Amino acid sequence: MSNESTAWVLSLSCPDRAGIVHAVTGVLAEHGGNITESQQFGDPDTGLFFMRVEVACAASRENLESAIGVLGERFSMTWRLDVAGRRMRTIVMVSKAAHCVNDLLFRERAGTLPVDIVAVVGNHATLKNHAEFYEKPFVHIPVTAETKADAEAELLALVERMDVELVVLARYMQILSPELSAALRGKAINIHHSFLPSFKGARPYFQAHDRGVKLIGATAHYVTADLDEGPIIEQDVERVDHTHTPESLTAMGADVERRALAKAVRWHAEHRVLLDGHRTIVFK
Amino acid sequence: MSNESTAWVLSLSCPDRAGIVHAVTGVLAEHGGNITESQQFGDPDTGLFFMRVEVACAASRENLESAIGVLGERFSMTWRLDVAGRRMRTIVMVSKAAHCVNDLLFRERAGTLPVDIVAVVGNHATLKNHAEFYEKPFVHIPVTAETKADAEAELLALVERMDVELVVLARYMQILSPELSAALRGKAINIHHSFLPSFKGARPYFQAHDRGVKLIGATAHYVTADLDEGPIIEQDVERVDHTHTPESLTAMGADVERRALAKAVRWHAEHRVLLDGHRTIVFK
Amino acid sequence: MSNESTAWVLSLSCPDRAGIVHAVTGVLAEHGGNITESQQFGDPDTGLFFMRVEVACAASRENLESAIGVLGERFSMTWRLDVAGRRMRTIVMVSKAAHCVNDLLFRERAGTLPVDIVAVVGNHATLKNHAEFYEKPFVHIPVTAETKADAEAELLALVERMDVELVVLARYMQILSPELSAALRGKAINIHHSFLPSFKGARPYFQAHDRGVKLIGATAHYVTADLDEGPIIEQDVERVDHTHTPESLTAMGADVERRALAKAVRWHAEHRVLLDGHRTIVFK
Amino acid sequence: MSNESTAWVLSLSCPDRAGIVHAVTGVLAEHGGNITESQQFGDPDTGLFFMRVEVACAASRENLESAIGVLGERFSMTWRLDVAGRRMRTIVMVSKAAHCVNDLLFRERAGTLPVDIVAVVGNHATLKNHAEFYEKPFVHIPVTAETKADAEAELLALVERMDVELVVLARYMQILSPELSAALRGKAINIHHSFLPSFKGARPYFQAHDRGVKLIGATAHYVTADLDEGPIIEQDVERVDHTHTPESLTAMGADVERRALAKAVRWHAEHRVLLDGHRTIVFK
């Protein structure tokens, strides 16, 4: 038996009612836990309650899970217990543009993004070298109209075989089928190159230039079957002016995209993002 | 005859071709002008050229206008010569919300907004006291479905009688008719309480809350018959999160609105905004 | 006896140890309280724990305070219980510049700032009309080198007589004595017109212009005897460039100042700001 | 003889007086030039005038330089004529931190930064692999107190031998001697990890954490002998709060640093930055 304390993160949601926080903190106290960070939110619209707790605790995972399980039954909770800082097993999907995947790989190596990128998957082979420089397996899964179903099946098999917890679409440029979107519900993050809901659809920087907006943006969101309508995790913008061409907007936008995507991935990997209907709670 | 120098601002647009800047600066040099600020932009999309010059010059308005007029013919220019810093005669249109008009009135008095607000016009009388504190005439022009045409005629008569150069819709909450929009083309500025083109139409903060966006914004634009599609002058945003209700978004949004509107009004009054089709050039 | 529920806000700090959250939520649960918002933070540097809870509860103030008092003893807590949304009794100190006080008065009237401004105090009479437009008593307390001690005594008497909880220095331009600073510890907020610790001392916009910075800022902080070194509550910045003069920096800066000050006052009045040595915890 | 038009960029500064713009545009017009972008600024403090023009022109470099040279004599100009978009020969100096150099290398390859990085120079060999992935020579020049003079001589020899126009200190962590600073005057850019003039000197993120600031920043500036006092080119900030440790501030700061540095390098390489005493003019 060890007295060594582990840092745990517990995230949960359930129908809101009195006594949840007290009950949760009670279970943690009974197991000798010391809360180091905690946030709660009750959404009056959906009637749901959300909580995220970091707790230092010497109890075993079995004991903790068993106790929280009892609570979970009682409050009809969706909950998850994880070791704080554990690196989430992640696949990054790419096409030809390198800026987002380069950023994620760099941050993983720098130790500022708690993910373990187990593979880079591309529908083109363009970024194979890039993946290899960061010592990541590159999997080339070409996609055509004819092979799309097979390609998606291959991806899903990969996700299962590699025990992947998060799929990041880093300017992947392919639309996932409703079936794959459903299979990856809540564990696939896309970066859209506009400030949604502005400029849905293709070529948003050309749309932005045509409309003459004074700020351009990017949106990181969970993938859903309803394209460009998934729950938003993070958005960011940059100031532009009349001198910008669609091309220079695209170059500037790349910075905004990678910034918003990296934040979304980090928060997700730290269990800071909880789904609240078609919106998100983000405990930053 | 005086040798006293006046600070002028000349703004112009015309089809782009070689020699415009040289010709313009030549005319100014011939009149002993010393350029203190100058900006140009050629739009490759529309083939139009835009220029704004501030020049200290002792020549009379007649002489300057006559010389620029010759240039204007030669280059098919739309141009305007004004005394720099002259306060533009302005009407502010309001309904019940005070935040935008209060901000404009305060800035005018503080001397940081080069406008002369000659009247505040409201479809409700709510803000009469506010206008009077700032020693401004308040004109109550109620609007109903039946009286809308008459009300607009009254407004237009007021604009003409008071020699008004700029009409600011400071959360006026009434849609101008296509006829009035046309009559005020390029001299009416509206503040829309969303980051256009997101959330067009009514109750944008409720839409923003429902969509779960992570930034809210406001857009100052010229009024056109095509609602929410007028040329954008300025946009700004503020970061929000899941704890915000539609009501708190509305309160926060008020800050963004008045900020974006004040900038748009100042730039317009300083002849820094030029129309380029359905977009704007802003020489900040 | 009423079953009507009141919204309370409880803020506290104490030496960090296991079981605090559970104990606090336990007391609230025993009194039938339903937690609607809660935040905690343990500072590893100072070893202090901070918590802010909003709770809907039908218990009487006496009962709640008595129970929390017992906890307070046990954990050596500094704590405060208040009705959520209660407007804090506030004095605004001014000199000649109107932008900050105008903003605070406007927000109070608009209902977006939970303060009750019971008086505006000026060392000059310049802003008397402004205060009166918002139906606030204006108290003129002139200050010279000779009268400074008397003036401060008069202010302190006013604070006591009017039961003032918060003193806002809205560009007051007078340095409080160490004695007055101490007497108002943790309940006086100043707005400094620079991004501290840059440009301490006088005329920060002239310093900023001379140094050629590309962003200017403002800092809202608690007043301490150590000038410009008080705990920072909020800071904000705006982008500037080489075309700005000290005068235009001052005009732009006014916007940043009022924005940062209004946020600091709101957070303080909502008991969101807790002192952590010479820093602050802000539970936004 | 060719009629092919070249895009030139002309940047200049001189004592301010009437007629400069007309004279410059006259020379360009005589050579058949079409101005596509032009900015001017007269600094009332220093009495200097600054101009940057992009011009499409079929004349030869010899003819243009000869004509501008005559002007230069007449107006006592410092001027430079370059082909627009030409990639500036650049050395990046590094120590162990990769984030800035990785960003510059990535942007160069992506074609969004008009530099030709001819070598990466490190006082440690840590980033050799990184440079090689981007196919750049890595030069290891170790520096100790004893070898500093030799190391600087080696660097200067490299600059001369490779015809280097720009030296970027990408978190180089070594202080250049006054002699080397002077030799590289106006062509060496450093990134300082604070919002200068706040937190000069070592470990600025620890200082920032200790002071409890609510925004952290970074400053890109020209290197001068007077450490941390060089002319500022660009600054940027990011919002932080009480939950950040010095370590997390450092990680966040890395993003701000690379963003500010990349902008400064781009503007410098595009001849958009002109020295105005100890400040800069940036024609964005």
Side-chain angles (χ1 to χ4, degrees):
Chain A
M1 197 198 103
S2 158
N3 281 322
E4 197 94 339
S5 171
T6 301
W8 300 95
V9 53
L10 169 67
S11 58
L12 60 89
S13 63
C14 62
D16 201 359
R17 57 184 248 208
I20 304 170
V21 178
H22 185 59
V24 171
T25 55
V27 163
L28 299 177
E30 281 160 27
H31 289 75
N34 189 25
I35 293 175
T36 53
E37 190 181 328
S38 171
Q39 286 159 295
Q40 299 89 44
F41 178 68
D43 185 342
D45 289 354
T46 59
L48 293 176
F49 176 85
F50 302 85
M51 186 170 184
R52 180 187 185 278
V53 199
E54 290 199 21
V55 60
C57 184
S60 70
R61 176 185 283 271
E62 289 69 27
N63 288 351
L64 275 174
E65 291 196 334
S66 151
I68 298 166
V70 173
L71 267 193
E73 285 293 315
R74 181 171 148 214
F75 289 97
S76 309
M77 284 176 183
T78 304
W79 61 272
R80 179 158 186 182
L81 182 74
D82 202 350
V83 173
R86 186 185 63 87
R87 299 193 299 136
M88 192 174 272
R89 294 178 63 81
T90 301
I91 276 182
V92 181
M93 310 285 298
V94 299
S95 188
K96 293 178 178 171
H99 56 282
C100 285
V101 69
N102 178 63
D103 196 67
L104 296 172
L105 290 165
F106 182 81
R107 289 177 195 271
E108 184 207 9
R109 178 185 284 187
T112 60
L113 197 65
V115 293
D116 177 9
I117 299 177
V118 296
V120 175
V121 176
N123 63 329
H124 295 281
T126 316
L127 301 177
K128 189 167 190 293
N129 282 352
H130 223 102
E132 289 173 354
F133 173 62
Y134 285 96
E135 295 166 352
K136 300 298 180 187
F138 182 87
V139 183
H140 185 195
I141 307 184
V143 180
T144 65
E146 292 74 38
T147 65
K148 178 156 182 163
D150 289 349
E152 291 201 339
E154 188 177 345
L155 173 63
L156 205 50
L158 193 69
V159 164
E160 280 159 19
R161 194 171 67 245
M162 299 189 91
D163 217 5
V164 168
E165 307 168 82
L166 171 63
V167 175
V168 180
L169 277 58
R171 299 300 309 279
Y172 176 53
M173 310 304 279
Q174 294 289 321
I175 298 169
L176 303 194
S177 69
E179 295 70 33
L180 185 56
S181 300
L184 297 177
R185 185 176 177 279
K187 59 185 203 181
I189 296 176
N190 182 45
I191 181 73
H192 189 271
H193 43 321
S194 90
F195 186 79
L196 288 174
S198 289
F199 311 127
K200 296 179 190 178
R203 308 221 312 165
Y205 293 119
F206 285 78
Q207 293 183 60
H209 179 258
D210 182 63
R211 184 63 184 89
V213 290
K214 302 302 184 186
L215 296 166
I216 56 161
T219 303
H221 63 92
Y222 285 116
V223 173
T224 58
D226 201 353
L227 192 66
D228 300 341
E229 295 289 342
I232 294 171
I233 305 170
E234 170 65 349
Q235 300 188 288
D236 207 345
V237 291
E238 191 103 341
R239 194 159 283 278
V240 298
D241 65 28
H242 58 267
T243 63
H244 287 91
T245 59
E247 290 72 28
S248 66
L249 291 181
T250 303
M252 283 189 66
D255 278 14
V256 189
E257 293 163 26
R258 66 186 198 177
R259 210 155 70 212
L261 181 59
K263 285 187 182 165
V265 169
R266 182 159 63 80
W267 295 334
H268 176 92
E270 295 176 350
H271 304 290
R272 297 184 180 277
V273 192
L274 290 96
L275 276 170
D276 180 22
H278 60 286
R279 291 182 296 205
T280 63
I281 309 302
V282 183
F283 289 130
K284 278 182 264 192
Chain B
M1 198 199 102
S2 157
N3 279 323
E4 198 91 341
S5 169
T6 302
W8 299 96
V9 53
L10 170 67
S11 59
L12 60 90
S13 63
C14 61
D16 201 359
R17 56 184 249 210
I20 303 171
V21 177
H22 185 59
V24 171
T25 55
V27 163
L28 298 176
E30 279 160 26
H31 289 76
N34 188 26
I35 293 174
T36 54
E37 189 181 328
S38 172
Q39 286 159 295
Q40 297 90 45
F41 178 67
D43 184 343
D45 290 353
T46 59
L48 293 176
F49 176 84
F50 302 86
M51 186 171 184
R52 182 187 184 277
V53 198
E54 290 199 19
V55 60
C57 183
S60 69
R61 178 185 280 271
E62 289 71 27
N63 287 352
L64 275 174
E65 290 197 333
S66 153
I68 298 166
V70 173
L71 267 193
E73 285 293 315
R74 183 173 146 210
F75 287 98
S76 309
M77 282 175 184
T78 303
W79 60 273
R80 180 159 186 181
L81 182 73
D82 202 349
V83 173
R86 187 184 65 84
R87 298 193 299 137
M88 193 174 271
R89 294 178 62 82
T90 300
I91 275 181
V92 181
M93 310 286 299
V94 300
S95 189
K96 292 177 179 172
H99 57 282
C100 284
V101 69
N102 178 63
D103 196 65
L104 296 172
L105 289 166
F106 182 82
R107 288 176 195 271
E108 184 207 8
R109 181 186 280 186
T112 59
L113 198 63
V115 294
D116 177 11
I117 298 177
V118 296
V120 174
V121 176
N123 64 328
H124 296 281
T126 316
L127 300 178
K128 189 168 189 293
N129 282 352
H130 223 102
E132 288 173 356
F133 172 62
Y134 284 96
E135 297 168 349
K136 299 299 182 187
F138 182 86
V139 184
H140 185 198
I141 306 183
V143 180
T144 66
E146 292 75 36
T147 64
K148 177 155 180 164
D150 288 349
E152 290 202 339
E154 189 177 343
L155 172 63
L156 205 49
L158 193 70
V159 164
E160 279 159 18
R161 193 170 68 243
M162 298 189 91
D163 218 6
V164 167
E165 305 170 84
L166 172 63
V167 175
V168 179
L169 278 58
R171 297 299 310 275
Y172 176 54
M173 309 302 280
Q174 294 288 320
I175 297 169
L176 303 194
S177 69
E179 295 72 32
L180 185 55
S181 299
L184 297 177
R185 184 176 178 278
K187 58 186 205 181
I189 296 175
N190 182 47
I191 181 71
H192 188 272
H193 43 318
S194 91
F195 186 79
L196 289 174
S198 289
F199 310 128
K200 296 179 191 180
R203 310 220 310 162
Y205 293 120
F206 284 79
Q207 293 184 59
H209 179 257
D210 181 63
R211 184 62 185 90
V213 288
K214 302 302 185 188
L215 296 166
I216 56 160
T219 304
H221 63 89
Y222 284 115
V223 174
T224 57
D226 201 353
L227 194 67
D228 301 341
E229 295 290 342
I232 294 171
I233 305 170
E234 171 64 351
Q235 301 188 289
D236 208 345
V237 291
E238 191 103 341
R239 194 159 285 278
V240 298
D241 64 29
H242 58 269
T243 64
H244 288 90
T245 59
E247 290 71 28
S248 66
L249 291 181
T250 303
M252 283 190 67
D255 279 14
V256 190
E257 293 164 27
R258 65 186 198 177
R259 209 155 70 212
L261 182 59
K263 284 187 182 165
V265 168
R266 181 158 65 79
W267 294 335
H268 177 91
E270 295 176 350
H271 304 291
R272 295 185 181 279
V273 192
L274 290 98
L275 277 169
D276 180 22
H278 60 285
R279 292 182 296 203
T280 64
I281 308 302
V282 183
F283 288 130
K284 280 182 261 194
Chain C
M1 196 199 102
S2 159
N3 280 322
E4 199 92 338
S5 169
T6 301
W8 299 96
V9 53
L10 169 66
S11 57
L12 60 90
S13 61
C14 61
D16 200 0
R17 57 184 247 209
I20 304 171
V21 177
H22 185 57
V24 171
T25 56
V27 164
L28 298 177
E30 280 160 26
H31 289 77
N34 190 24
I35 293 174
T36 54
E37 191 180 327
S38 172
Q39 286 158 296
Q40 297 89 44
F41 178 68
D43 185 343
D45 289 354
T46 59
L48 294 175
F49 176 84
F50 302 86
M51 184 171 187
R52 182 188 184 275
V53 198
E54 290 199 20
V55 61
C57 183
S60 69
R61 177 186 282 271
E62 288 69 26
N63 288 351
L64 276 174
E65 290 196 334
S66 151
I68 298 166
V70 173
L71 267 193
E73 285 294 314
R74 182 174 147 211
F75 289 97
S76 309
M77 284 176 184
T78 302
W79 60 273
R80 180 158 186 182
L81 183 73
D82 201 351
V83 173
R86 186 185 65 85
R87 299 193 300 136
M88 193 174 272
R89 294 177 64 80
T90 301
I91 276 182
V92 181
M93 310 287 298
V94 300
S95 188
K96 293 178 178 172
H99 57 280
C100 284
V101 69
N102 178 62
D103 197 66
L104 296 172
L105 290 166
F106 182 82
R107 288 177 195 270
E108 183 207 10
R109 180 185 281 184
T112 58
L113 197 65
V115 293
D116 177 10
I117 299 176
V118 295
V120 175
V121 176
N123 63 329
H124 296 280
T126 317
L127 300 178
K128 189 167 190 293
N129 282 352
H130 223 102
E132 288 173 355
F133 173 62
Y134 283 97
E135 296 166 352
K136 299 299 181 188
F138 181 88
V139 184
H140 184 195
I141 307 184
V143 180
T144 65
E146 292 74 36
T147 65
K148 178 154 180 162
D150 289 348
E152 290 201 339
E154 189 177 344
L155 173 64
L156 204 51
L158 193 71
V159 164
E160 278 158 21
R161 193 170 68 243
M162 298 189 91
D163 217 5
V164 167
E165 305 169 84
L166 173 63
V167 175
V168 180
L169 278 57
R171 296 302 309 278
Y172 175 54
M173 309 304 278
Q174 294 289 321
I175 297 169
L176 304 193
S177 69
E179 295 72 32
L180 186 55
S181 299
L184 298 177
R185 185 175 178 279
K187 59 185 203 179
I189 296 176
N190 182 47
I191 180 72
H192 188 273
H193 44 319
S194 91
F195 185 79
L196 288 174
S198 289
F199 310 128
K200 298 178 188 179
R203 310 218 313 164
Y205 293 120
F206 284 79
Q207 293 183 60
H209 179 258
D210 181 62
R211 184 63 184 88
V213 289
K214 301 305 184 185
L215 296 166
I216 55 162
T219 303
H221 63 91
Y222 285 116
V223 174
T224 56
D226 200 354
L227 191 67
D228 300 342
E229 294 289 341
I232 294 171
I233 306 170
E234 170 66 349
Q235 300 188 288
D236 206 346
V237 291
E238 191 104 341
R239 194 159 283 279
V240 298
D241 64 29
H242 58 268
T243 64
H244 287 89
T245 59
E247 291 72 28
S248 67
L249 292 180
T250 303
M252 284 189 67
D255 278 16
V256 190
E257 293 164 26
R258 65 187 199 179
R259 210 155 70 213
L261 181 59
K263 284 187 182 164
V265 169
R266 182 158 66 77
W267 294 335
H268 176 92
E270 294 175 351
H271 305 290
R272 295 185 181 278
V273 191
L274 290 98
L275 276 170
D276 180 22
H278 60 285
R279 291 181 296 202
T280 64
I281 308 303
V282 184
F283 288 131
K284 282 183 259 193
Chain D
M1 198 195 102
S2 158
N3 280 322
E4 199 92 341
S5 171
T6 301
W8 300 96
V9 52
L10 170 66
S11 59
L12 60 90
S13 64
C14 61
D16 201 359
R17 57 185 248 210
I20 305 171
V21 178
H22 185 59
V24 171
T25 55
V27 162
L28 300 176
E30 279 159 27
H31 291 76
N34 189 25
I35 293 174
T36 54
E37 190 180 326
S38 173
Q39 285 159 296
Q40 297 89 45
F41 178 67
D43 185 341
D45 289 354
T46 57
L48 293 177
F49 177 85
F50 302 86
M51 186 171 185
R52 181 187 184 277
V53 199
E54 290 200 19
V55 59
C57 183
S60 69
R61 178 186 280 271
E62 289 71 25
N63 287 350
L64 276 173
E65 291 197 331
S66 153
I68 297 166
V70 173
L71 267 192
E73 286 292 316
R74 182 173 146 211
F75 289 98
S76 309
M77 284 174 182
T78 303
W79 61 271
R80 179 158 186 182
L81 182 74
D82 202 350
V83 173
R86 186 184 65 84
R87 299 193 299 137
M88 193 173 271
R89 294 177 63 82
T90 301
I91 275 182
V92 181
M93 309 288 298
V94 299
S95 187
K96 293 178 179 172
H99 57 282
C100 284
V101 69
N102 178 62
D103 196 67
L104 296 172
L105 290 166
F106 182 80
R107 288 176 196 271
E108 183 207 10
R109 181 187 280 186
T112 60
L113 196 65
V115 293
D116 178 10
I117 298 176
V118 295
V120 174
V121 176
N123 63 329
H124 296 280
T126 317
L127 301 178
K128 188 168 191 290
N129 282 353
H130 223 102
E132 288 173 355
F133 173 62
Y134 284 96
E135 296 165 352
K136 300 298 182 187
F138 181 86
V139 183
H140 184 197
I141 307 185
V143 179
T144 65
E146 292 73 38
T147 65
K148 178 155 179 162
D150 289 349
E152 291 201 340
E154 187 176 345
L155 172 64
L156 204 52
L158 194 69
V159 165
E160 278 158 23
R161 192 170 69 243
M162 299 189 92
D163 216 6
V164 168
E165 305 169 84
L166 173 63
V167 174
V168 180
L169 277 58
R171 299 299 309 278
Y172 175 53
M173 310 303 278
Q174 293 289 320
I175 297 168
L176 304 194
S177 68
E179 295 70 34
L180 186 56
S181 299
L184 297 176
R185 185 177 177 277
K187 58 185 205 181
I189 296 176
N190 182 46
I191 181 72
H192 188 271
H193 43 320
S194 91
F195 186 78
L196 289 175
S198 290
F199 310 129
K200 297 179 190 178
R203 310 220 312 165
Y205 293 121
F206 285 78
Q207 293 184 57
H209 178 258
D210 180 64
R211 184 63 184 90
V213 290
K214 301 303 184 185
L215 296 165
I216 55 160
T219 304
H221 63 91
Y222 285 115
V223 174
T224 56
D226 200 354
L227 193 67
D228 299 342
E229 295 289 341
I232 294 171
I233 305 170
E234 170 67 349
Q235 300 187 290
D236 208 346
V237 292
E238 191 103 342
R239 193 160 285 280
V240 298
D241 63 30
H242 58 267
T243 63
H244 287 90
T245 58
E247 291 70 28
S248 67
L249 291 181
T250 303
M252 285 189 66
D255 279 14
V256 189
E257 292 162 28
R258 65 186 198 178
R259 211 155 69 213
L261 182 59
K263 284 186 182 165
V265 168
R266 184 159 63 79
W267 294 335
H268 176 91
E270 294 176 351
H271 304 292
R272 296 185 180 279
V273 192
L274 291 96
L275 276 170
D276 180 21
H278 59 285
R279 291 182 296 205
T280 64
I281 308 302
V282 183
F283 289 130
K284 281 182 258 191

